[in-house]
C-alpha cells in the first residue's frame, strides 16, 4: 500500500536508464533528489525512455518509504534525439582523455621526466574520485546522504579528474548535467595548467 502521494506535477531529467531491466532514475530539476522510474509508469507513452530525456511525473512514496515516479510522461527538452548521435562520441572522448593522461604519466615516469610518487598520486586520487562518484550514485538511489557537487569538483581539482571522467561514462553519474560538466572541464584545465607550471620550474 502506498503511503504518500505528491499531486503536483514535477519535471525531471532521466539520469540513468537500464533498458534491459526497464527502470532508471530521474534527477529532479533544480534539486539533488533522484526518483525511481519504472517502465510501467510510462504505460501511456509509446516512446522509449533514455538518459537525458525530460519527463513529467507525480511522486509517490511506496511502502518502504521511498519516492518513485508514477503517471510519467516524456516531454520535449533534455538531450533528446539530437544527442543520441553525439553522446557516444563524447563519452569515448572522455575515456580517451582520462586513459591517455594516465598512460602519458606512466611513459613520462619511465623516461624519468617525473617521479614515481606523482604517477601514483594521480592514480590513487582517480580511484578515490571514482569510488566517491559510485557512492554518491548509490546514495541517490537509496535517498541517503549525498556527496556535494563542490566536493566532487574539489576531488577533480586536486588530481582525481581522470576518475571523474571515467565515472561519468561507466557509472552514468553526473553525465546529464551540462553545468556540472562545464565546471569539470574548467577544473581539468586548471589542474593541467598547474601541473605544467610546476613541472616547468623543476
Amino acid at each position: 500500500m502506498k503511503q504518500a502521494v505528491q499531486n503536483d506535477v514535477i519535471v525531471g531529467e532521466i539520469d540513468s536508464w537500464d533498458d534491459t531491466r526497464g527502470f532508471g532514475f530521474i534527477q529532479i530539476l533544480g534539486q539533488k533528489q533522484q526518483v525511481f522510474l519504472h517502465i510501467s509508469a510510462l504505460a501511456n507513452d509509446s516512446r522509449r525512455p533514455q538518459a537525458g530525456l525530460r519527463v513529467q511525473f507525480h511522486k509517490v512514496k511506496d511502502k518502504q518509504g521511498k519516492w518513485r515516479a508514477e503517471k510519467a510522461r516524456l516531454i520535449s527538452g533534455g538531450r533528446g534525439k539530437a544527442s543520441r548521435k553525439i553522446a557516444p562520441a563524447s563519452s569515448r572522448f572522455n575515456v580517451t582523455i582520462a586513459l591517455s593522461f594516465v598512460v602519458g604519466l606512466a611513459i613520462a615516469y619511465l623516461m624519468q621526466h617525473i617521479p614515481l610518487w606523482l604517477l601514483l598520486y594521480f592514480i590513487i586520487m582517480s580511484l578515490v574520485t571514482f569510488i566517491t562518484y559510485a557512492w554518491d550514485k548509490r546514495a541517490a538511489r537509496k535517498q541517503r546522504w549525498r556527496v556535494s557537487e563542490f566536493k566532487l569538483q574539489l576531488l577533480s581539482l586536486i588530481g582525481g579528474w581522470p576518475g571523474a571522467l571515467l565515472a561519468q561514462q561507466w557509472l552514468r553519474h553526473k553525465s546529464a548535467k551540462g553545468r556540472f560538466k562545464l565546471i569539470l572541464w574548467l577544473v581539468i584545465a586548471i589542474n593541467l595548467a598547474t601541473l605544467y607550471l610546476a613541472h616547468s620550474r623543476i
Side-chain angles (χ1 to χ4, degrees):
M1 181 180 296
K2 292 165 181 154
Q3 298 177 327
V5 178
Q6 187 174 88
N7 291 321
D8 296 337
V9 176
I10 303 171
V11 177
E13 190 170 279
I14 299 177
D15 182 63
S16 60
W17 180 259
D18 188 331
D19 201 50
T20 303
R21 301 171 69 181
F23 70 83
F25 292 87
I26 302 170
Q27 180 75 51
I28 299 178
L29 298 183
Q31 300 182 26
K32 293 183 178 181
Q33 183 183 12
Q34 288 192 333
V35 178
F36 179 80
L37 172 67
H38 192 269
I39 189 65
S40 60
L42 291 160
N44 296 325
D45 200 318
S46 61
R47 293 170 292 176
R48 296 298 298 180
Q50 62 174 336
L53 288 178
R54 289 191 178 182
V55 56
Q56 288 181 342
F57 63 97
H58 295 271
K59 278 201 315 181
V60 175
K61 186 175 287 187
D62 61 21
K63 59 183 179 182
Q64 282 80 36
K66 297 180 180 180
W67 290 105
R68 61 183 295 148
E70 282 203 357
K71 298 181 180 179
R73 181 174 67 88
L74 298 175
I75 59 176
S76 60
R79 290 181 293 171
K81 294 182 179 180
S83 70
R84 272 187 265 184
K85 295 181 180 179
I86 63 175
S90 175
S91 299
R92 288 194 298 270
F93 175 76
N94 288 356
V95 173
T96 299
I97 291 295
L99 296 182
S100 296
F101 177 75
V102 175
V103 171
L105 285 180
I107 294 174
Y109 163 70
L110 293 175
M111 298 179 66
Q112 299 184 343
H113 292 319
I114 63 170
L116 177 60
W117 69 263
L118 186 60
L119 171 62
L120 294 179
Y121 174 81
F122 273 95
I123 292 176
I124 292 172
M125 286 305 305
S126 295
L127 180 60
V128 170
T129 303
F130 188 93
I131 292 173
T132 304
Y133 269 72
W135 174 280
D136 186 55
K137 185 177 181 68
R138 185 172 184 271
R141 290 180 172 179
K142 294 182 176 294
Q143 304 291 317
R144 294 179 179 176
W145 176 81
R146 300 285 305 277
V147 180
S148 69
E149 291 188 353
F150 174 80
K151 291 180 179 178
L152 292 176
Q153 300 288 18
L154 182 61
L155 285 172
S156 296
L157 180 63
I158 61 177
W161 61 265
L165 291 180
L166 295 177
Q168 283 190 340
Q169 167 60 14
W170 294 341
L171 300 179
R172 296 296 182 185
H173 190 49
K174 300 295 184 182
S175 59
K177 302 185 70 174
R179 181 175 177 273
F180 183 89
K181 291 191 293 183
L182 175 61
I183 295 175
L184 176 60
W185 281 108
L186 291 175
V187 164
I188 292 173
I190 293 172
N191 180 267
L192 291 177
T194 303
L195 180 62
Y196 174 78
L197 293 174
H199 183 264
S200 63
R201 293 179 179 179
I202 297 177

